[in-house]
Amino acid sequence: MLLAAALIATPVAAQTIASPDGRLAVTLATSNDGQPSYTLNVASRTVVAPSPLGLEFEQYAKLSNGLRTTAVETTRGEDRYTLPAGKVAAVADRYNQIVVHMAEAEGKHRRLDLIIRAYDTGIAFRYAIPQQSDLTTLRIANELTQFAFAGDYACTGLNLGSFGTSHEGEYDPVQAAAIRPHNLYELPLVCDAENGGPTIAIAEAAVENWSAMYLTGTETGALGVAAKLTRRPDDPAIAVKLDVGGGVVSPWRVVMVADNTGKLIENTLLTSLNPAPRGDFAWVKPGKTAWDWWSGPLLAGVPQAGSNAATERAFIDFAASLRLPYMMIDDGWYVNSGTGPLVLPGADPTKPIAKLDLPGLVTYGRQRNVGLILWMNWELLDRNMEAILASVERLGAKGIKVDFMNRDDQEMIGFYHRLAAATARHHLLLDLHGATHPWGMTRTWPNFLTQEGVLGAEYNKWTTRITARHNITLAYTRMLAGPLDYTPGAYRNATPATFRIAATGPQTQTTRAAELAKYVVFESPLQSIADTPDAYRGQPGLDFLAEVPASWDETRFIAGTLGQSIVLARRKGDSWYLGAMTDAAQTIAVPLGFLGERRYVARTWQDGATPTDLATASRTVGATDSLALTLAASGGAVAVLAPVR
């Protein structure tokens, strides 16, 4: 929503723009040699020191130095919209914006525009290259974007170390001074300013016709991080290849800002910076899904449980018993499938295997109000996308899960967008696995409900890496970028000391209550109930799994510390849901001031005497009360607070 604009037609050496509340200020300056840079101040304190901007073309040519400002436009606006699925139902993010038009003072006089926005919760900037005769084709090797730190910040990030990964790993603590030029940090990178300063998270939004951005140490060794764009596999000397045409824009480079790391979870800038939806998405229904892969599967009463009709009917029956709207059929359902990333000759998602009777399963599920979601390999899908998606739509399935991209170069980013648009045309939900980090695209394509790009529950099947500390850290780091298909729901719970790796019937090294808490803490509008139906029958906590929503109207951070503990409150309608997770055993007194004037019945599920035990209770509470939650080591708790009628 554009509210006001002004054009300054005279060159200006420096421009400062403040957030609507005046707390954040971004200053754009130009050095004596014409190098633009920006500075971020928060409450009059420098948080991002002067940081260079610009683009690098192949063979080290740059559009960065020798620039002069030719004009400046100032605007203010508001991103006001609704989200059919996500951590909030409605967003209103106000901003002030400047567009600084620059051109080379000598030579070809190439033009570059810098667009900068200041929100109350962070800043965003992007490059725009207008139509011009001296720059018709872009071959960008890298951005010259940097984020200089005003001190040796304590950061937390995922150092992937290379391009072409599944983006699955641990977010570890690292001091800014220890980040090296050969590192490749995934977005977001979360950093605490020194001496009680604010927390920032560096991310990106609206990535389209570009490659994804990583962060490295600076070549000079100065404190801070520099952008590194993923290389094109067909042309490794560059990252981005585009015709300028009528003009192009880069993704938004985002710095989220909050008083503490937990408050960043409430931030909505990434969706706000993406385009509005393109079409009618009233048909999109978020919800939970049963899943036939994680448990092995194990299924009593079904001989040779696996990719066959009897197994899938049992999972559909289980989904119906919990009123889950979806059931996910994983790899192995179509001809010559079942080999994960390997595409066998003759593999064809338009041809289900006979023993599965997929049309019959769709009918069976429809009669029980359970829609099917089908797994498929991305490469196979990309060969014949329209025909395959049309086949899935005719079949009556509700969505697809696409796997093993393991790339985020410019071509693969294009695939993500083509797939989101194509699934929307065919009224199919979309879940991406083997994918990069999110960047807010779920606003533009609400049928794109969730994605992996996370070291999630599947790793319990072959490693000991999925610890309580890891799970808690994900909420403060990876989840800031958007929904994460972690696939919770494991009901074979052990302590770290008793945990055993098992591919069939896998365990977790966190408690049953911690597993329930993931449904509140982890954002995913297509949330998995990952274990086998046998694991849930007659077990405590099943009532909570049936009740907890997968999408929310409001999200609030209540308490916690990165890696140690977290308490989140999420609202759906007039009921609130609390999720708490901890590394060390503790009792947490949760303040309930967010409840307002009404009284609520609070039902709680907390850690019991063993990892699989749950202690339940119920009491009436109000805004002046607190709720005591007792959490075991590697444990958790959940609560449902419903208004007294």
Side-chain angles (χ1 to χ4, degrees):
M1 182 187 301
L2 189 64
L3 300 180
L7 181 66
I8 302 172
T10 57
V12 179
Q15 285 289 308
T16 296
I17 186 169
S19 58
D21 66 2
R23 188 166 178 264
L24 278 61
V26 188
T27 299
L28 181 71
T30 306
S31 66
N32 291 335
D33 63 353
Q35 166 76 57
S37 67
Y38 73 98
T39 304
L40 170 62
N41 289 328
V42 179
S44 301
R45 171 179 177 165
T46 300
V47 174
V48 178
S51 303
L53 297 168
L55 298 174
E56 179 183 337
F57 304 130
E58 60 184 338
Q59 298 177 342
Y60 304 104
K62 297 177 181 179
L63 183 53
S64 174
N65 299 102
L67 295 172
R68 64 182 181 91
T69 300
T70 60
V72 177
E73 299 172 56
T74 63
T75 60
R76 57 189 175 94
E78 183 176 40
D79 299 315
R80 184 180 291 271
Y81 55 95
T82 58
L83 288 173
K87 63 184 176 185
V88 294
V91 177
D93 280 332
R94 296 183 301 143
Y95 63 86
N96 293 322
Q97 175 177 288
I98 56 173
V99 180
V100 181
H101 301 279
M102 309 189 82
E104 292 173 314
E106 299 177 353
K108 295 183 177 180
H109 301 285
R110 296 174 300 181
R111 289 179 288 144
L112 174 68
D113 296 340
L114 299 174
I115 306 169
I116 305 174
R117 287 185 182 181
Y119 294 81
D120 293 343
T121 56
I123 67 166
F125 57 88
R126 74 193 317 181
Y127 303 99
I129 300 176
Q131 183 177 11
Q132 51 197 295
S133 58
D134 289 329
L135 191 60
T136 57
T137 301
L138 288 179
R139 290 178 60 82
I140 297 174
N142 197 29
E143 293 180 23
L144 300 174
T145 308
Q146 291 191 20
F147 304 83
F149 297 157
D152 189 9
Y153 295 167
C155 299
T156 305
L158 169 57
N159 180 16
L160 290 170
S162 64
F163 302 124
T165 75
S166 60
H167 297 258
E168 298 167 0
E170 290 87 352
Y171 288 76
D172 293 323
V174 59
Q175 288 297 131
I179 300 176
R180 306 301 183 203
H182 64 271
N183 297 151
L184 278 178
Y185 274 87
E186 167 76 302
L187 300 180
L189 178 70
V190 179
C191 298
D192 290 326
E194 293 179 307
N195 303 318
T199 300
I200 63 172
I202 301 172
E204 63 182 346
V207 183
E208 187 172 7
N209 293 326
W210 213 262
S211 67
M213 180 177 78
Y214 293 74
L215 297 172
T216 76
T218 64
E219 290 291 345
T220 63
L223 290 172
V225 289
K228 184 73 171 180
L229 300 182
T230 309
R231 294 294 188 252
R232 289 180 60 97
D234 64 333
D235 200 348
I238 61 172
V240 177
K241 180 168 60 177
L242 285 171
D243 291 330
V244 174
V248 300
V249 294
S250 75
W252 290 100
R253 299 336 187 176
V254 184
V255 182
M256 305 179 195
V257 179
D259 290 337
N260 59 66
T261 312
K263 293 297 288 184
L264 290 172
I265 296 172
E266 302 174 11
N267 196 292
T268 52
L269 288 188
L270 299 195
T271 49
S272 293
L273 289 162
N274 273 263
R278 305 167 186 173
D280 178 14
F281 291 91
W283 55 272
V284 172
K285 305 297 181 187
K288 300 190 292 292
T289 178
W291 187 26
D292 66 0
W293 180 86
W294 189 81
S295 61
L298 293 174
L299 201 57
V302 177
Q304 298 180 329
S307 295
N308 55 60
T311 299
E312 308 304 353
R313 281 196 298 268
F315 275 86
I316 292 171
D317 289 341
F318 167 69
S321 71
L322 290 190
R323 299 185 300 280
L324 309 182
Y326 305 112
M327 189 268 152
M328 184 175 292
I329 298 180
D330 215 273
D331 190 11
W333 63 269
Y334 53 84
V335 170
N336 286 348
S337 61
T339 53
L342 179 64
V343 177
L344 297 178
D348 189 349
T350 67
K351 298 178 180 179
I353 58 175
K355 66 179 180 180
L356 199 67
D357 183 21
L358 193 55
L361 288 177
V362 170
T363 300
Y364 189 82
R366 185 185 302 118
Q367 293 168 346
R368 290 154 179 79
N369 296 315
V370 177
L372 300 188
I373 296 172
L374 306 176
W375 181 98
M376 60 185 65
N377 180 285
W378 86 271
E379 185 180 1
L380 185 59
L381 175 62
D382 195 36
R383 293 176 185 174
N384 199 7
M385 186 181 293
E386 274 301 313
I388 292 171
L389 295 182
S391 173
V392 173
E393 183 182 24
R394 286 193 303 271
L395 180 68
K398 297 299 183 182
I400 60 172
K401 170 182 170 181
V402 184
D403 209 346
F404 293 114
M405 287 76 69
N406 295 351
R407 285 168 43 198
D408 53 10
D409 53 84
Q410 185 184 10
E411 288 185 336
M412 184 56 73
I413 297 297
F415 170 78
Y416 292 152
H417 282 272
R418 287 188 290 107
L419 179 58
T423 49
R425 286 195 303 273
H426 291 283
H427 291 84
L428 296 172
L429 304 177
L430 177 60
D431 174 9
L432 293 181
H433 273 228
T436 186
H437 58 266
W439 57 79
M441 195 169 79
T442 52
R443 179 188 177 191
T444 308
W445 303 108
N447 63 304
F448 175 24
L449 290 181
T450 193
Q451 67 192 89
E452 196 180 31
V454 64
L455 188 73
E458 65 180 2
Y459 277 76
N460 286 297
K461 294 164 72 78
W462 55 81
T463 75
T464 59
R465 296 167 65 183
I466 308 302
T467 63
R469 179 170 288 270
H470 168 70
N471 293 333
I472 295 163
T473 299
L474 289 176
Y476 292 97
T477 53
R478 162 61 180 83
M479 195 173 71
L480 302 182
L484 66 169
D485 197 13
Y486 174 99
T487 64
Y491 251 46
R492 297 174 188 82
N493 313 108
T495 67
T498 60
F499 173 80
R500 297 292 180 268
I501 294 172
T504 300
Q507 300 177 333
T508 71
Q509 48 188 317
T510 51
T511 69
R512 175 77 50 83
E515 203 66 23
L516 299 184
K518 293 172 186 174
Y519 289 89
V520 180
V521 173
F522 290 162
E523 175 194 347
S524 182
L526 185 64
Q527 190 66 279
S528 172
I529 306 288
D531 220 326
T532 176
D534 294 342
Y536 298 112
R537 290 193 181 96
Q539 291 293 306
L542 196 57
D543 50 349
F544 177 81
L545 289 180
E547 181 177 352
V548 64
S551 187
W552 307 97
D553 296 331
E554 186 177 354
T555 292
R556 295 197 188 189
F557 172 75
I558 304 300
T561 303
L562 192 155
Q564 298 179 26
S565 65
I566 187 168
V567 183
L568 279 189
R570 300 192 192 261
R571 180 178 61 82
K572 185 70 172 180
D574 57 6
S575 292
W576 285 91
Y577 296 77
L578 290 177
M581 297 161 59
T582 188
D583 185 18
Q586 61 176 306
T587 297
I588 301 175
V590 181
L592 300 177
F594 58 86
L595 292 180
E597 298 180 356
R598 301 178 71 174
R599 300 288 290 174
Y600 288 75
V601 174
R603 292 175 290 139
T604 58
W605 294 255
Q606 305 183 51
D607 288 320
T610 72
T612 57
D613 287 342
L614 290 173
T616 59
S618 179
R619 57 174 286 210
T620 301
V621 297
T624 60
D625 297 317
S626 62
L627 196 62
L629 300 177
T630 301
L631 284 61
S634 300
V638 293
V640 178
L641 297 93
V644 175
R645 304 299 182 185

